[in-house]
Amino acid sequence: MAGHVRAIHIAPEQGAPMERVERVPAVAGRGLEGDRYYDTEGTFAERSGSDLTLIAAEALAAVERDYDVALESGVHRRNVTTDGVALNHLAGEQFRIGDVVCEGVELCEPCSYLEAHLEKRGVREALVHRGGLRARILEGGNVATGNVVERV
């Protein structure tokens, strides 16, 4: 079960547009440098395990196919978009993104915040069980586009 990082996005503060980056330092117990959760300023900052969020490109394609809801790169508010990774299977598991070691904490089930933020009806329903994974960073390093994502 090895896939790859397709894209990386960070937002400097709560509600700010997501910015695409090619590489970003990941700090254990904090998050991605420059992201709102790094400084505990995101909407869900009080929720443990929000160091990093991931979403599968395949899930985004299924949302568009099944619900006719297109979510452009980064608009989903997740940090890392992967391909070839069954993210739901990593809840409760340790995995590696390049040299960064993470632990899947829980699924990122969609919330009303995302739907309201995007002003797109149906986003919440479309992302049920497809919203990605919330993860804790256990060992820091750099996350880069193209990194391999695999179980430890």
Side-chain angles (χ1 to χ4, degrees), residues 10-68:
I10 59 174
E13 57 190 37
Q14 181 180 343
M18 298 294 280
E19 301 170 3
R20 187 172 182 151
V21 296
E22 293 300 312
R23 171 184 293 284
V24 64
V27 178
R30 296 259 334 247
L32 301 181
E33 227 174 77
D35 189 61
R36 66 224 184 262
Y37 289 105
Y38 186 83
D39 292 319
T40 63
E41 293 186 12
T43 303
F44 301 102
E46 76 286 346
R47 183 181 287 169
S48 176
S50 293
D51 295 351
L52 172 71
T53 55
L54 303 97
I55 193 163
E58 295 85 353
L60 296 171
V63 164
E64 186 168 4
R65 180 191 67 234
D66 297 347
Y67 290 87
D68 197 30

Side-chain angles (χ1 to χ4, degrees), residues 4-124:
H4 293 88
V5 172
R6 180 181 280 190
I8 305 164
H9 291 87
I10 59 174
E13 57 190 37
Q14 181 180 343
M18 298 294 280
E19 301 170 3
R20 187 172 182 151
V21 296
E22 293 300 312
R23 171 184 293 284
V24 64
V27 178
R30 296 259 334 247
L32 301 181
E33 227 174 77
D35 189 61
R36 66 224 184 262
Y37 289 105
Y38 186 83
D39 292 319
T40 63
E41 293 186 12
T43 303
F44 301 102
E46 76 286 346
R47 183 181 287 169
S48 176
S50 293
D51 295 351
L52 172 71
T53 55
L54 303 97
I55 193 163
E58 295 85 353
L60 296 171
V63 164
E64 186 168 4
R65 180 191 67 234
D66 297 347
Y67 290 87
D68 197 30
V69 173
L71 298 174
E72 299 82 30
S73 189
V75 76
H76 43 66
R77 313 285 303 162
R78 307 299 186 251
N79 298 121
V80 176
T81 304
T82 64
D83 59 28
V85 182
L87 293 175
N88 289 13
H89 296 241
L90 294 177
E93 301 288 328
Q94 287 189 11
F95 60 97
R96 186 179 306 277
I97 304 172
D99 60 351
V100 176
V101 177
C102 301
E103 179 181 29
V105 175
E106 65 183 356
L107 299 184
C108 279
E109 292 296 3
C111 60
S112 57
Y113 173 82
L114 181 63
E115 191 165 77
H117 183 79
L118 296 178
E119 297 179 354
K120 286 188 177 186
R121 295 181 63 92
V123 169
R124 187 174 184 177

